[in-house]
């Protein structure tokens, strides 16, 4: 069959000439897919709504030799709560770019799909703790991608790290004990409580994230740990992450 159907979240929707768009989709059935949507930028196009970034839509795709194309599509959920708010739309753009960067094409990844769908629902709610949900998303996505940092035992010698101050090294992949802190040039020290919150974010019910109370100083440390770690392992700084920094953190 040349035609196939998927439910997918639009990770990226790039405008091309002739009113076309190139879409990067994360589908429930087939993982990441690239497809062209012809003519969707025309004001009269009925497909227009369903191909916007972060839309959850149903697609009928035509398998092409080089690139698949959108035959039909229909929006399931537009997450309108996201779109009216610069804060949320900036975070959602980051989540989509991170998912795109951390997942390979044709890698069937229902887990990443459901994680992203859940998080988009949660951050579009009023009163959502968007920053903490983002940290939670990051650590879970890394876990799914097989890139999760080691948070219990020292990556150098394997002993449980139980001191009040914990070293963390992105390049060696997690926490280091005091004796191994010379193991890499990028070891930075954090209170153990910060690392404990990171562990909690991995296991805690996502829908109850707001119940975890995290002071601003610890949020900043969590951001620093995750952003350094992600940049190191993806070998780049994401454009949307830089945008968030400019928007909110000014460093
Ligand atoms: Zn050690």
């Amino acid at each position: 069959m040349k035609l196939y159907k998927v439910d997918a979240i639009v990770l990226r929707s790039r405008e091309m000439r002739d009113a076309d768009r190139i879409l990067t989709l994360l589908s429930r059935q087939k993982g990441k897919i690239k497809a062209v949507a012809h003519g969707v930028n025309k004001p009269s196009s009925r497909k227009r709504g369903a191909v916007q970034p972060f839309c959850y839509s149903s697609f009928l795709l035509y398998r092409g030799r080089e690139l698949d194309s959108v035959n039909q599509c229909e929006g399931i959920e537009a997450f309108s709560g996201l779109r009216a708010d610069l804060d949320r739309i900036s975070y959602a753009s980051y989540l989509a770019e991170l998912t795109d960067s951390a997942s390979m094409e044709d890698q069937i990844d229902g887990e990443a799909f459901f994680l992203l769908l859940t998080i988009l629902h949660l951050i579009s709610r009023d009163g959502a703790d968007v920053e903490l949900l983002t940290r939670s998303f990051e650590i879970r996505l890394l876990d799914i991608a097989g890139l999760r940092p080691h948070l219990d035992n020292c990556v150098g010698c394997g002993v449980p790290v139980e001191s009040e101050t914990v070293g963390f090294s992105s390049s060696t992949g997690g926490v280091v004990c005091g004796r191994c802190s010379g193991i890499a040039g990028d070891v930075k020290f954090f209170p153990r409580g910060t690392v404990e919150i990171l562990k909690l974010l991995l296991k805690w019910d996502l829908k109850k994230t707001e119940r975890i109370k995290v002071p601003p100083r610890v949020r900043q440390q969590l951001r620093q740990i995750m952003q350094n770690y992600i940049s190191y392992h993806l070998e780049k700084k994401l454009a949307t992450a830089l945008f968030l920094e400019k928007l909110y953190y000014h460093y």
Side-chain angles (χ1 to χ4, degrees):
M1 273 294 282
K2 285 266 192 179
L3 283 170
Y4 65 100
K5 204 179 161 213
V6 291
D7 299 323
I9 301 161
V10 180
L11 296 180
R12 197 159 178 231
S13 181
R14 194 152 50 96
E15 289 189 28
M16 306 294 283
R17 56 198 171 82
D18 300 331
D20 295 351
R21 276 177 185 254
I22 299 279
L23 309 179
T24 305
L25 307 172
L26 183 67
S27 71
R28 181 161 61 88
Q29 297 88 343
K30 291 178 178 290
K32 205 163 86 168
I33 301 167
K34 266 206 164 76
V36 60
H38 291 293
V40 286
N41 279 347
K42 289 181 193 148
S44 59
S45 172
R46 290 169 65 187
K47 296 177 189 159
R48 202 179 163 142
V51 300
Q52 301 303 315
F54 343 116
C55 257
Y56 172 39
S57 305
S58 157
F59 291 89
L60 186 64
L61 297 168
Y62 183 82
R63 194 170 282 114
R65 191 174 291 181
E66 303 265 316
L67 193 62
D68 296 357
S69 58
V70 177
N71 192 286
Q72 289 172 31
C73 60
E74 194 176 341
I76 299 170
E77 171 70 66
F79 300 108
S80 49
L82 283 179
R83 290 168 205 279
D85 182 313
L86 177 65
D87 194 35
R88 292 179 196 183
I89 207 161
S90 307
Y91 273 99
S93 304
Y94 167 66
L95 300 175
E97 190 185 7
L98 180 60
T99 309
D100 188 9
S101 304
S103 38
M104 313 287 279
E105 264 168 74
D106 297 326
Q107 176 190 344
I108 298 178
D109 214 342
E111 262 191 292
F113 168 84
F114 284 112
L115 175 63
L116 183 60
L117 189 60
T118 305
I119 214 91
L120 288 173
H121 272 292
L122 293 175
I123 67 170
S124 54
R125 287 179 316 177
D126 282 336
D129 188 336
V130 178
E131 186 186 16
L132 209 55
L133 283 165
T134 297
R135 297 289 93 83
S136 200
F137 178 83
E138 288 169 334
I139 190 86
R140 286 164 200 247
L141 187 71
L142 289 170
D143 190 38
I144 293 168
L147 292 170
R148 173 163 63 87
H150 292 271
L151 299 173
D152 291 306
N153 297 335
C154 171
V155 289
C157 66
V159 302
V161 179
E162 287 163 342
S163 51
E164 280 313 300
T165 304
V166 176
F168 187 91
S169 157
S170 296
S171 64
T172 54
V175 294
V176 290
C177 74
R179 269 182 296 176
C180 295
S181 60
I183 194 173
D186 67 340
V187 177
K188 293 199 168 58
F189 293 90
F190 297 94
R192 198 177 70 190
T194 302
V195 175
E196 292 300 326
I197 288 179
L198 209 48
K199 286 196 230 171
L200 192 62
L201 289 176
L202 186 64
K203 296 183 222 141
W204 192 264
D205 182 352
L206 265 177
K207 296 183 185 74
K208 294 177 182 160
T209 301
E210 280 77 21
R211 293 194 193 168
I212 310 175
K213 298 295 170 221
V214 184
R217 183 180 46 81
V218 177
R219 286 172 186 260
Q220 195 209 327
Q221 291 162 350
L222 290 170
R223 187 171 69 240
Q224 196 186 343
I225 292 176
M226 293 313 291
Q227 288 298 301
N228 286 342
Y229 186 85
I230 288 168
S231 304
Y232 182 86
H233 289 276
L234 297 183
E235 298 177 355
K236 63 179 171 184
K237 187 87 188 174
L238 302 181
T240 48
L242 288 169
F243 181 74
L244 276 176
E245 282 178 13
K246 276 198 198 129
L247 203 55
Y248 301 109
Y249 309 120
H250 313 290
Y251 60 79

Short mmCIF file of all heavy atoms in Angstrom, two decimals, residues 154 156-159 176-177 179-180, ligand 1:
data_model
loop_
_atom_site.label_atom_id
_atom_site.label_comp_id
_atom_site.label_asym_id
_atom_site.label_seq_id
_atom_site.Cartn_x
_atom_site.Cartn_y
_atom_site.Cartn_z
N CYS A 154 28.46 6.85 41.47
CA CYS A 154 29.54 7.60 40.84
C CYS A 154 29.91 6.96 39.49
O CYS A 154 30.14 5.75 39.41
CB CYS A 154 30.75 7.62 41.77
SG CYS A 154 32.23 8.28 41.01
N GLY A 156 32.60 7.27 38.04
CA GLY A 156 34.02 6.90 38.05
C GLY A 156 34.24 5.55 38.72
O GLY A 156 34.82 4.64 38.13
N CYS A 157 33.75 5.39 39.96
CA CYS A 157 34.09 4.19 40.74
C CYS A 157 32.87 3.34 41.10
O CYS A 157 33.02 2.26 41.65
CB CYS A 157 34.84 4.60 41.99
SG CYS A 157 33.83 5.55 43.14
N GLY A 158 31.67 3.83 40.84
CA GLY A 158 30.48 3.01 41.08
C GLY A 158 29.90 3.05 42.48
O GLY A 158 28.87 2.44 42.73
N VAL A 159 30.54 3.78 43.42
CA VAL A 159 29.96 3.82 44.78
C VAL A 159 28.75 4.76 44.81
O VAL A 159 28.69 5.72 44.05
CB VAL A 159 31.00 4.27 45.86
CG1 VAL A 159 32.22 3.36 45.86
CG2 VAL A 159 31.40 5.73 45.68
N VAL A 176 29.46 12.26 40.23
CA VAL A 176 30.78 11.74 40.62
C VAL A 176 30.99 11.99 42.11
O VAL A 176 30.53 13.00 42.65
CB VAL A 176 31.94 12.38 39.81
CG1 VAL A 176 31.94 11.92 38.38
CG2 VAL A 176 31.92 13.89 39.88
N CYS A 177 31.70 11.05 42.75
CA CYS A 177 31.98 11.21 44.18
C CYS A 177 33.18 12.15 44.36
O CYS A 177 33.85 12.50 43.39
CB CYS A 177 32.26 9.85 44.82
SG CYS A 177 33.87 9.16 44.39
N ARG A 179 36.13 11.67 45.59
CA ARG A 179 37.43 11.12 45.20
C ARG A 179 37.63 11.09 43.68
O ARG A 179 38.74 11.13 43.19
CB ARG A 179 37.60 9.71 45.76
CG ARG A 179 38.26 9.72 47.14
CD ARG A 179 38.46 8.32 47.65
NE ARG A 179 37.17 7.66 47.83
CZ ARG A 179 37.03 6.40 48.20
NH1 ARG A 179 38.09 5.65 48.37
NH2 ARG A 179 35.84 5.87 48.38
N CYS A 180 36.53 11.00 42.95
CA CYS A 180 36.64 10.91 41.48
C CYS A 180 36.43 12.27 40.81
O CYS A 180 36.33 12.33 39.58
CB CYS A 180 35.62 9.92 40.93
SG CYS A 180 35.92 8.23 41.45
ZN1 LIG B 1 33.89 7.80 42.49
#
